[in-house]
Amino acid sequence: MKARKLMVSLCVAAAFCTGCADEQANPAGQTIVLESVALMEHADTGLPYFHDTLKNNTEKTITAVETAMLAYDAEGQPLELYWDFMDSGAEPKYGHLRFEDMELLPGKTKDEDGGWTLYDGEKMEGWPVRGDGGANRAEYGLFCVKRVEFEDGTAWENPDYADWREEYQGKAKDAASLQEYYPKEYCILSAE
């Protein structure tokens, strides 16, 4: 299995996530850390996929996470991908929201095999060749946690999500800056 480390943007780049380590800003020290994103290939098919690693530094069990995903090529150009290729009516787009059920205990890390498979009609037998092969050009993945649900029924909404989306989705970025975004912390100041 081939892996290339990718940039990870937690939607709270330094400008958005101030004071995560500051006890006054986050007195309980409750954070969620998107530690890494890697572009990998399935060993049996060679299909590319994004694999992310998420750590729960809160006192609650996480039961679901909604994550925004973007992809960029080696030059920092945004890629329009068929993110939901199981939907035959889906069109390529710059980003996708993934809702994932899980059970992530306090202090534990989600680092399971697998991830979000990218559409590659050139390698997928029985699937039409669509688009411009964007999945084959993916080098950087920017992920942003939009919402986290906890076992006690509370949820945390990322207050910086809209700003992140405005700044990154469909916009070219300097490739060097894409490499500087990981790992990042989300400050969970309150969950309601």
Side-chain angles (χ1 to χ4, degrees):
M1 182 180 298
K2 177 175 108 178
R4 290 181 278 170
K5 284 293 177 187
L6 294 182
M7 167 269 135
V8 176
S9 172
L10 292 184
C11 82
V12 282
F16 296 127
C17 187
T18 57
C20 280
D22 183 353
E23 289 296 320
Q24 291 176 344
N26 189 2
Q30 303 292 302
T31 65
I32 295 171
V33 181
L34 191 49
E35 294 182 338
S36 67
V37 170
L39 182 64
M40 305 177 99
E41 291 181 355
H42 292 284
D44 55 343
T45 63
L47 295 175
Y49 68 95
F50 283 128
H51 173 80
D52 59 312
T53 304
L54 181 72
K55 182 163 185 179
N56 179 4
N57 290 327
T58 73
E59 297 171 350
K60 300 177 182 183
T61 298
I62 295 173
T63 57
V65 175
E66 186 174 22
T67 307
M69 302 180 291
L70 305 176
Y72 289 82
D73 69 12
E75 287 78 42
Q77 295 299 313
L79 297 173
E80 282 187 290
L81 301 179
Y82 287 93
W83 292 96
D84 188 5
F85 63 84
M86 297 299 286
D87 178 356
S88 62
E91 294 295 321
K93 53 189 178 177
Y94 286 112
H96 184 71
L97 284 174
R98 170 186 75 177
F99 186 85
E100 182 179 13
D101 289 320
M102 65 178 65
E103 182 180 30
L104 185 56
L105 300 173
K108 298 298 181 183
T109 301
K110 177 191 82 90
D111 187 15
E112 304 161 349
D113 289 338
W116 192 269
T117 300
L118 301 177
Y119 180 82
D120 186 350
E122 296 165 0
K123 292 182 181 177
M124 298 173 76
E125 290 184 27
W127 289 82
V129 176
R130 298 190 293 177
D132 60 2
N136 293 326
R137 295 192 329 268
E139 289 288 329
Y140 302 103
L142 281 78
F143 282 29
C144 172
V145 174
K146 182 181 179 194
R147 177 181 169 86
V148 178
E149 296 179 6
F150 297 96
E151 188 175 48
D152 65 2
T154 61
W156 173 78
E157 298 276 345
N158 185 338
D160 299 316
Y161 171 72
D163 291 337
W164 174 85
R165 188 173 163 197
E166 177 68 26
E167 168 132 4
Y168 292 101
Q169 189 165 323
K171 305 217 173 107
K173 295 294 171 184
D174 179 70
S177 71
L178 296 178
Q179 298 168 5
E180 298 172 2
Y181 282 24
Y182 62 92
K184 297 290 183 179
E185 290 185 308
Y186 293 99
C187 303
I188 310 298
L189 301 177
S190 66
E192 299 175 8

PDB file of all heavy atoms in Angstrom, residues 25-58:
ATOM      1  N   ALA A  25      -8.822  30.720  27.312  1.00  0.00           N
ATOM      2  CA  ALA A  25      -9.731  30.548  26.188  1.00  0.00           C
ATOM      3  C   ALA A  25     -10.447  29.208  26.232  1.00  0.00           C
ATOM      4  O   ALA A  25     -11.583  29.090  25.805  1.00  0.00           O
ATOM      5  CB  ALA A  25      -8.975  30.678  24.869  1.00  0.00           C
ATOM      6  N   ASN A  26      -9.782  28.201  26.731  1.00  0.00           N
ATOM      7  CA  ASN A  26     -10.341  26.852  26.778  1.00  0.00           C
ATOM      8  C   ASN A  26      -9.957  26.237  28.119  1.00  0.00           C
ATOM      9  O   ASN A  26      -9.088  25.369  28.187  1.00  0.00           O
ATOM     10  CB  ASN A  26      -9.790  26.032  25.599  1.00  0.00           C
ATOM     11  CG  ASN A  26     -10.477  24.699  25.448  1.00  0.00           C
ATOM     12  OD1 ASN A  26     -11.392  24.349  26.172  1.00  0.00           O
ATOM     13  ND2 ASN A  26     -10.014  23.929  24.484  1.00  0.00           N
ATOM     14  N   PRO A  27     -10.611  26.671  29.217  1.00  0.00           N
ATOM     15  CA  PRO A  27     -10.177  26.272  30.550  1.00  0.00           C
ATOM     16  C   PRO A  27     -10.190  24.770  30.798  1.00  0.00           C
ATOM     17  O   PRO A  27      -9.400  24.270  31.573  1.00  0.00           O
ATOM     18  CB  PRO A  27     -11.161  27.003  31.473  1.00  0.00           C
ATOM     19  CG  PRO A  27     -12.315  27.376  30.628  1.00  0.00           C
ATOM     20  CD  PRO A  27     -11.796  27.500  29.230  1.00  0.00           C
ATOM     21  N   ALA A  28     -11.054  24.037  30.133  1.00  0.00           N
ATOM     22  CA  ALA A  28     -11.107  22.591  30.338  1.00  0.00           C
ATOM     23  C   ALA A  28     -10.119  21.850  29.447  1.00  0.00           C
ATOM     24  O   ALA A  28      -9.929  20.651  29.596  1.00  0.00           O
ATOM     25  CB  ALA A  28     -12.519  22.075  30.091  1.00  0.00           C
ATOM     26  N   GLY A  29      -9.491  22.553  28.485  1.00  0.00           N
ATOM     27  CA  GLY A  29      -8.531  21.905  27.595  1.00  0.00           C
ATOM     28  C   GLY A  29      -9.160  20.889  26.672  1.00  0.00           C
ATOM     29  O   GLY A  29      -8.515  19.940  26.251  1.00  0.00           O
ATOM     30  N   GLN A  30     -10.426  21.075  26.328  1.00  0.00           N
ATOM     31  CA  GLN A  30     -11.154  20.133  25.483  1.00  0.00           C
ATOM     32  C   GLN A  30     -10.850  20.404  24.015  1.00  0.00           C
ATOM     33  O   GLN A  30     -11.160  21.483  23.502  1.00  0.00           O
ATOM     34  CB  GLN A  30     -12.656  20.260  25.726  1.00  0.00           C
ATOM     35  CG  GLN A  30     -13.073  20.050  27.175  1.00  0.00           C
ATOM     36  CD  GLN A  30     -12.867  18.624  27.632  1.00  0.00           C
ATOM     37  OE1 GLN A  30     -13.424  17.695  27.044  1.00  0.00           O
ATOM     38  NE2 GLN A  30     -12.069  18.440  28.651  1.00  0.00           N
ATOM     39  N   THR A  31     -10.235  19.454  23.347  1.00  0.00           N
ATOM     40  CA  THR A  31      -9.916  19.613  21.934  1.00  0.00           C
ATOM     41  C   THR A  31     -10.182  18.326  21.167  1.00  0.00           C
ATOM     42  O   THR A  31     -10.261  17.239  21.753  1.00  0.00           O
ATOM     43  CB  THR A  31      -8.436  20.005  21.709  1.00  0.00           C
ATOM     44  OG1 THR A  31      -7.604  18.930  22.145  1.00  0.00           O
ATOM     45  CG2 THR A  31      -8.077  21.294  22.420  1.00  0.00           C
ATOM     46  N   ILE A  32     -10.300  18.493  19.871  1.00  0.00           N
ATOM     47  CA  ILE A  32     -10.299  17.380  18.931  1.00  0.00           C
ATOM     48  C   ILE A  32      -9.174  17.710  17.960  1.00  0.00           C
ATOM     49  O   ILE A  32      -9.071  18.841  17.492  1.00  0.00           O
ATOM     50  CB  ILE A  32     -11.636  17.250  18.209  1.00  0.00           C
ATOM     51  CG1 ILE A  32     -12.729  16.888  19.216  1.00  0.00           C
ATOM     52  CG2 ILE A  32     -11.569  16.207  17.111  1.00  0.00           C
ATOM     53  CD1 ILE A  32     -14.113  16.943  18.656  1.00  0.00           C
ATOM     54  N   VAL A  33      -8.321  16.742  17.673  1.00  0.00           N
ATOM     55  CA  VAL A  33      -7.155  16.993  16.822  1.00  0.00           C
ATOM     56  C   VAL A  33      -7.237  16.121  15.577  1.00  0.00           C
ATOM     57  O   VAL A  33      -7.297  14.897  15.670  1.00  0.00           O
ATOM     58  CB  VAL A  33      -5.837  16.691  17.578  1.00  0.00           C
ATOM     59  CG1 VAL A  33      -4.637  16.969  16.683  1.00  0.00           C
ATOM     60  CG2 VAL A  33      -5.762  17.488  18.871  1.00  0.00           C
ATOM     61  N   LEU A  34      -7.268  16.776  14.419  1.00  0.00           N
ATOM     62  CA  LEU A  34      -7.133  16.049  13.164  1.00  0.00           C
ATOM     63  C   LEU A  34      -5.630  15.935  12.944  1.00  0.00           C
ATOM     64  O   LEU A  34      -4.969  16.900  12.567  1.00  0.00           O
ATOM     65  CB  LEU A  34      -7.823  16.790  12.035  1.00  0.00           C
ATOM     66  CG  LEU A  34      -7.998  16.061  10.722  1.00  0.00           C
ATOM     67  CD1 LEU A  34      -8.584  14.675  10.889  1.00  0.00           C
ATOM     68  CD2 LEU A  34      -8.856  16.879   9.790  1.00  0.00           C
ATOM     69  N   GLU A  35      -5.086  14.777  13.264  1.00  0.00           N
ATOM     70  CA  GLU A  35      -3.633  14.602  13.298  1.00  0.00           C
ATOM     71  C   GLU A  35      -2.994  14.511  11.919  1.00  0.00           C
ATOM     72  O   GLU A  35      -1.892  15.004  11.711  1.00  0.00           O
ATOM     73  CB  GLU A  35      -3.279  13.372  14.120  1.00  0.00           C
ATOM     74  CG  GLU A  35      -3.641  13.540  15.585  1.00  0.00           C
ATOM     75  CD  GLU A  35      -3.255  12.343  16.446  1.00  0.00           C
ATOM     76  OE1 GLU A  35      -3.089  11.231  15.902  1.00  0.00           O
ATOM     77  OE2 GLU A  35      -3.125  12.556  17.658  1.00  0.00           O
ATOM     78  N   SER A  36      -3.665  13.848  10.993  1.00  0.00           N
ATOM     79  CA  SER A  36      -3.078  13.690   9.663  1.00  0.00           C
ATOM     80  C   SER A  36      -4.127  13.261   8.660  1.00  0.00           C
ATOM     81  O   SER A  36      -5.191  12.774   9.021  1.00  0.00           O
ATOM     82  CB  SER A  36      -1.951  12.654   9.682  1.00  0.00           C
ATOM     83  OG  SER A  36      -2.471  11.370   9.945  1.00  0.00           O
ATOM     84  N   VAL A  37      -3.800  13.465   7.404  1.00  0.00           N
ATOM     85  CA  VAL A  37      -4.561  12.938   6.274  1.00  0.00           C
ATOM     86  C   VAL A  37      -3.521  12.398   5.307  1.00  0.00           C
ATOM     87  O   VAL A  37      -2.515  13.051   5.036  1.00  0.00           O
ATOM     88  CB  VAL A  37      -5.425  14.011   5.591  1.00  0.00           C
ATOM     89  CG1 VAL A  37      -6.010  13.489   4.288  1.00  0.00           C
ATOM     90  CG2 VAL A  37      -6.534  14.475   6.516  1.00  0.00           C
ATOM     91  N   ALA A  38      -3.749  11.215   4.815  1.00  0.00           N
ATOM     92  CA  ALA A  38      -2.825  10.612   3.852  1.00  0.00           C
ATOM     93  C   ALA A  38      -3.605  10.186   2.621  1.00  0.00           C
ATOM     94  O   ALA A  38      -4.736   9.723   2.726  1.00  0.00           O
ATOM     95  CB  ALA A  38      -2.123   9.399   4.463  1.00  0.00           C
ATOM     96  N   LEU A  39      -3.013  10.375   1.468  1.00  0.00           N
ATOM     97  CA  LEU A  39      -3.566   9.839   0.232  1.00  0.00           C
ATOM     98  C   LEU A  39      -2.951   8.464   0.053  1.00  0.00           C
ATOM     99  O   LEU A  39      -1.730   8.331  -0.024  1.00  0.00           O
ATOM    100  CB  LEU A  39      -3.238  10.736  -0.953  1.00  0.00           C
ATOM    101  CG  LEU A  39      -3.826  10.283  -2.287  1.00  0.00           C
ATOM    102  CD1 LEU A  39      -5.343  10.323  -2.259  1.00  0.00           C
ATOM    103  CD2 LEU A  39      -3.295  11.146  -3.414  1.00  0.00           C
ATOM    104  N   MET A  40      -3.804   7.459   0.023  1.00  0.00           N
ATOM    105  CA  MET A  40      -3.328   6.082  -0.077  1.00  0.00           C
ATOM    106  C   MET A  40      -3.994   5.403  -1.262  1.00  0.00           C
ATOM    107  O   MET A  40      -4.895   5.973  -1.881  1.00  0.00           O
ATOM    108  CB  MET A  40      -3.632   5.337   1.223  1.00  0.00           C
ATOM    109  CG  MET A  40      -3.069   6.046   2.454  1.00  0.00           C
ATOM    110  SD  MET A  40      -3.506   5.218   3.982  1.00  0.00           S
ATOM    111  CE  MET A  40      -1.994   4.323   4.248  1.00  0.00           C
ATOM    112  N   GLU A  41      -3.569   4.199  -1.564  1.00  0.00           N
ATOM    113  CA  GLU A  41      -4.184   3.394  -2.619  1.00  0.00           C
ATOM    114  C   GLU A  41      -4.585   2.049  -2.037  1.00  0.00           C
ATOM    115  O   GLU A  41      -3.812   1.442  -1.290  1.00  0.00           O
ATOM    116  CB  GLU A  41      -3.215   3.188  -3.775  1.00  0.00           C
ATOM    117  CG  GLU A  41      -2.924   4.435  -4.557  1.00  0.00           C
ATOM    118  CD  GLU A  41      -1.980   4.192  -5.720  1.00  0.00           C
ATOM    119  OE1 GLU A  41      -1.474   3.042  -5.871  1.00  0.00           O
ATOM    120  OE2 GLU A  41      -1.741   5.135  -6.478  1.00  0.00           O
ATOM    121  N   HIS A  42      -5.799   1.612  -2.384  1.00  0.00           N
ATOM    122  CA  HIS A  42      -6.224   0.282  -1.971  1.00  0.00           C
ATOM    123  C   HIS A  42      -5.298  -0.748  -2.613  1.00  0.00           C
ATOM    124  O   HIS A  42      -5.022  -0.686  -3.823  1.00  0.00           O
ATOM    125  CB  HIS A  42      -7.674   0.008  -2.399  1.00  0.00           C
ATOM    126  CG  HIS A  42      -8.680   0.842  -1.683  1.00  0.00           C
ATOM    127  ND1 HIS A  42      -9.047   0.585  -0.378  1.00  0.00           N
ATOM    128  CD2 HIS A  42      -9.386   1.928  -2.064  1.00  0.00           C
ATOM    129  CE1 HIS A  42      -9.951   1.474  -0.003  1.00  0.00           C
ATOM    130  NE2 HIS A  42     -10.173   2.302  -1.001  1.00  0.00           N
ATOM    131  N   ALA A  43      -4.801  -1.694  -1.819  1.00  0.00           N
ATOM    132  CA  ALA A  43      -3.831  -2.674  -2.305  1.00  0.00           C
ATOM    133  C   ALA A  43      -4.392  -3.526  -3.441  1.00  0.00           C
ATOM    134  O   ALA A  43      -3.678  -3.856  -4.385  1.00  0.00           O
ATOM    135  CB  ALA A  43      -3.378  -3.570  -1.156  1.00  0.00           C
ATOM    136  N   ASP A  44      -5.683  -3.880  -3.374  1.00  0.00           N
ATOM    137  CA  ASP A  44      -6.248  -4.787  -4.368  1.00  0.00           C
ATOM    138  C   ASP A  44      -6.651  -4.099  -5.675  1.00  0.00           C
ATOM    139  O   ASP A  44      -6.548  -4.690  -6.742  1.00  0.00           O
ATOM    140  CB  ASP A  44      -7.436  -5.552  -3.786  1.00  0.00           C
ATOM    141  CG  ASP A  44      -8.512  -4.640  -3.216  1.00  0.00           C
ATOM    142  OD1 ASP A  44      -8.236  -3.446  -2.971  1.00  0.00           O
ATOM    143  OD2 ASP A  44      -9.633  -5.127  -3.009  1.00  0.00           O
ATOM    144  N   THR A  45      -7.075  -2.839  -5.612  1.00  0.00           N
ATOM    145  CA  THR A  45      -7.575  -2.171  -6.812  1.00  0.00           C
ATOM    146  C   THR A  45      -6.712  -1.011  -7.288  1.00  0.00           C
ATOM    147  O   THR A  45      -6.833  -0.585  -8.435  1.00  0.00           O
ATOM    148  CB  THR A  45      -8.988  -1.609  -6.563  1.00  0.00           C
ATOM    149  OG1 THR A  45      -8.916  -0.615  -5.532  1.00  0.00           O
ATOM    150  CG2 THR A  45      -9.965  -2.712  -6.187  1.00  0.00           C
ATOM    151  N   GLY A  46      -5.878  -0.474  -6.426  1.00  0.00           N
ATOM    152  CA  GLY A  46      -5.078   0.695  -6.772  1.00  0.00           C
ATOM    153  C   GLY A  46      -5.860   1.992  -6.727  1.00  0.00           C
ATOM    154  O   GLY A  46      -5.335   3.049  -7.076  1.00  0.00           O
ATOM    155  N   LEU A  47      -7.124   1.940  -6.282  1.00  0.00           N
ATOM    156  CA  LEU A  47      -7.935   3.154  -6.218  1.00  0.00           C
ATOM    157  C   LEU A  47      -7.440   4.057  -5.100  1.00  0.00           C
ATOM    158  O   LEU A  47      -7.142   3.604  -3.999  1.00  0.00           O
ATOM    159  CB  LEU A  47      -9.411   2.810  -5.974  1.00  0.00           C
ATOM    160  CG  LEU A  47     -10.104   2.037  -7.080  1.00  0.00           C
ATOM    161  CD1 LEU A  47     -11.513   1.662  -6.662  1.00  0.00           C
ATOM    162  CD2 LEU A  47     -10.128   2.857  -8.356  1.00  0.00           C
ATOM    163  N   PRO A  48      -7.356   5.362  -5.363  1.00  0.00           N
ATOM    164  CA  PRO A  48      -6.894   6.299  -4.335  1.00  0.00           C
ATOM    165  C   PRO A  48      -7.981   6.569  -3.295  1.00  0.00           C
ATOM    166  O   PRO A  48      -9.171   6.513  -3.600  1.00  0.00           O
ATOM    167  CB  PRO A  48      -6.584   7.567  -5.136  1.00  0.00           C
ATOM    168  CG  PRO A  48      -7.480   7.493  -6.327  1.00  0.00           C
ATOM    169  CD  PRO A  48      -7.646   6.036  -6.641  1.00  0.00           C
ATOM    170  N   TYR A  49      -7.548   6.830  -2.064  1.00  0.00           N
ATOM    171  CA  TYR A  49      -8.485   7.230  -1.012  1.00  0.00           C
ATOM    172  C   TYR A  49      -7.782   8.108   0.006  1.00  0.00           C
ATOM    173  O   TYR A  49      -6.566   8.036   0.183  1.00  0.00           O
ATOM    174  CB  TYR A  49      -9.129   6.022  -0.335  1.00  0.00           C
ATOM    175  CG  TYR A  49      -8.222   5.157   0.494  1.00  0.00           C
ATOM    176  CD1 TYR A  49      -8.113   5.349   1.871  1.00  0.00           C
ATOM    177  CD2 TYR A  49      -7.491   4.120  -0.080  1.00  0.00           C
ATOM    178  CE1 TYR A  49      -7.293   4.538   2.646  1.00  0.00           C
ATOM    179  CE2 TYR A  49      -6.673   3.307   0.689  1.00  0.00           C
ATOM    180  CZ  TYR A  49      -6.576   3.521   2.051  1.00  0.00           C
ATOM    181  OH  TYR A  49      -5.755   2.729   2.817  1.00  0.00           O
ATOM    182  N   PHE A  50      -8.577   8.975   0.660  1.00  0.00           N
ATOM    183  CA  PHE A  50      -8.082   9.800   1.745  1.00  0.00           C
ATOM    184  C   PHE A  50      -8.295   9.069   3.057  1.00  0.00           C
ATOM    185  O   PHE A  50      -9.393   8.610   3.349  1.00  0.00           O
ATOM    186  CB  PHE A  50      -8.817  11.145   1.816  1.00  0.00           C
ATOM    187  CG  PHE A  50      -8.389  12.136   0.782  1.00  0.00           C
ATOM    188  CD1 PHE A  50      -9.324  12.758  -0.023  1.00  0.00           C
ATOM    189  CD2 PHE A  50      -7.056  12.479   0.628  1.00  0.00           C
ATOM    190  CE1 PHE A  50      -8.937  13.696  -0.957  1.00  0.00           C
ATOM    191  CE2 PHE A  50      -6.667  13.412  -0.314  1.00  0.00           C
ATOM    192  CZ  PHE A  50      -7.612  14.024  -1.108  1.00  0.00           C
ATOM    193  N   HIS A  51      -7.247   8.973   3.843  1.00  0.00           N
ATOM    194  CA  HIS A  51      -7.295   8.349   5.169  1.00  0.00           C
ATOM    195  C   HIS A  51      -6.964   9.425   6.200  1.00  0.00           C
ATOM    196  O   HIS A  51      -5.916  10.058   6.117  1.00  0.00           O
ATOM    197  CB  HIS A  51      -6.278   7.212   5.251  1.00  0.00           C
ATOM    198  CG  HIS A  51      -6.139   6.640   6.616  1.00  0.00           C
ATOM    199  ND1 HIS A  51      -7.031   5.736   7.118  1.00  0.00           N
ATOM    200  CD2 HIS A  51      -5.230   6.870   7.592  1.00  0.00           C
ATOM    201  CE1 HIS A  51      -6.659   5.413   8.355  1.00  0.00           C
ATOM    202  NE2 HIS A  51      -5.574   6.100   8.667  1.00  0.00           N
ATOM    203  N   ASP A  52      -7.886   9.640   7.161  1.00  0.00           N
ATOM    204  CA  ASP A  52      -7.658  10.664   8.178  1.00  0.00           C
ATOM    205  C   ASP A  52      -7.537  10.040   9.557  1.00  0.00           C
ATOM    206  O   ASP A  52      -8.064   8.959   9.816  1.00  0.00           O
ATOM    207  CB  ASP A  52      -8.769  11.720   8.165  1.00  0.00           C
ATOM    208  CG  ASP A  52     -10.153  11.140   8.419  1.00  0.00           C
ATOM    209  OD1 ASP A  52     -10.501  10.132   7.778  1.00  0.00           O
ATOM    210  OD2 ASP A  52     -10.882  11.691   9.257  1.00  0.00           O
ATOM    211  N   THR A  53      -6.806  10.727  10.428  1.00  0.00           N
ATOM    212  CA  THR A  53      -6.596  10.288  11.800  1.00  0.00           C
ATOM    213  C   THR A  53      -7.094  11.394  12.726  1.00  0.00           C
ATOM    214  O   THR A  53      -6.646  12.528  12.626  1.00  0.00           O
ATOM    215  CB  THR A  53      -5.096  10.023  12.058  1.00  0.00           C
ATOM    216  OG1 THR A  53      -4.633   9.073  11.106  1.00  0.00           O
ATOM    217  CG2 THR A  53      -4.860   9.503  13.453  1.00  0.00           C
ATOM    218  N   LEU A  54      -8.036  11.047  13.609  1.00  0.00           N
ATOM    219  CA  LEU A  54      -8.677  12.016  14.490  1.00  0.00           C
ATOM    220  C   LEU A  54      -8.528  11.571  15.936  1.00  0.00           C
ATOM    221  O   LEU A  54      -8.788  10.420  16.268  1.00  0.00           O
ATOM    222  CB  LEU A  54     -10.171  12.110  14.147  1.00  0.00           C
ATOM    223  CG  LEU A  54     -11.013  13.088  14.946  1.00  0.00           C
ATOM    224  CD1 LEU A  54     -10.681  14.528  14.541  1.00  0.00           C
ATOM    225  CD2 LEU A  54     -12.490  12.814  14.717  1.00  0.00           C
ATOM    226  N   LYS A  55      -8.095  12.498  16.812  1.00  0.00           N
ATOM    227  CA  LYS A  55      -7.935  12.191  18.232  1.00  0.00           C
ATOM    228  C   LYS A  55      -8.955  12.960  19.055  1.00  0.00           C
ATOM    229  O   LYS A  55      -9.155  14.149  18.856  1.00  0.00           O
ATOM    230  CB  LYS A  55      -6.529  12.526  18.725  1.00  0.00           C
ATOM    231  CG  LYS A  55      -6.354  12.153  20.187  1.00  0.00           C
ATOM    232  CD  LYS A  55      -4.926  12.064  20.620  1.00  0.00           C
ATOM    233  CE  LYS A  55      -4.924  11.552  22.059  1.00  0.00           C
ATOM    234  NZ  LYS A  55      -3.628  11.403  22.582  1.00  0.00           N
ATOM    235  N   ASN A  56      -9.578  12.266  20.008  1.00  0.00           N
ATOM    236  CA  ASN A  56     -10.586  12.840  20.895  1.00  0.00           C
ATOM    237  C   ASN A  56      -9.934  13.215  22.220  1.00  0.00           C
ATOM    238  O   ASN A  56      -9.659  12.349  23.051  1.00  0.00           O
ATOM    239  CB  ASN A  56     -11.718  11.835  21.124  1.00  0.00           C
ATOM    240  CG  ASN A  56     -12.791  12.361  22.045  1.00  0.00           C
ATOM    241  OD1 ASN A  56     -12.774  13.514  22.480  1.00  0.00           O
ATOM    242  ND2 ASN A  56     -13.755  11.502  22.353  1.00  0.00           N
ATOM    243  N   ASN A  57      -9.689  14.497  22.427  1.00  0.00           N
ATOM    244  CA  ASN A  57      -9.136  14.988  23.688  1.00  0.00           C
ATOM    245  C   ASN A  57     -10.202  15.639  24.553  1.00  0.00           C
ATOM    246  O   ASN A  57      -9.931  16.565  25.297  1.00  0.00           O
ATOM    247  CB  ASN A  57      -8.011  15.994  23.419  1.00  0.00           C
ATOM    248  CG  ASN A  57      -6.782  15.337  22.851  1.00  0.00           C
ATOM    249  OD1 ASN A  57      -6.469  14.198  23.167  1.00  0.00           O
ATOM    250  ND2 ASN A  57      -6.089  16.047  21.996  1.00  0.00           N
ATOM    251  N   THR A  58     -11.439  15.166  24.430  1.00  0.00           N
ATOM    252  CA  THR A  58     -12.513  15.665  25.280  1.00  0.00           C
ATOM    253  C   THR A  58     -12.807  14.621  26.344  1.00  0.00           C
ATOM    254  O   THR A  58     -12.243  13.514  26.331  1.00  0.00           O
ATOM    255  CB  THR A  58     -13.806  15.949  24.484  1.00  0.00           C
ATOM    256  OG1 THR A  58     -14.424  14.708  24.106  1.00  0.00           O
ATOM    257  CG2 THR A  58     -13.523  16.800  23.251  1.00  0.00           C
TER     258      THR A  58
END
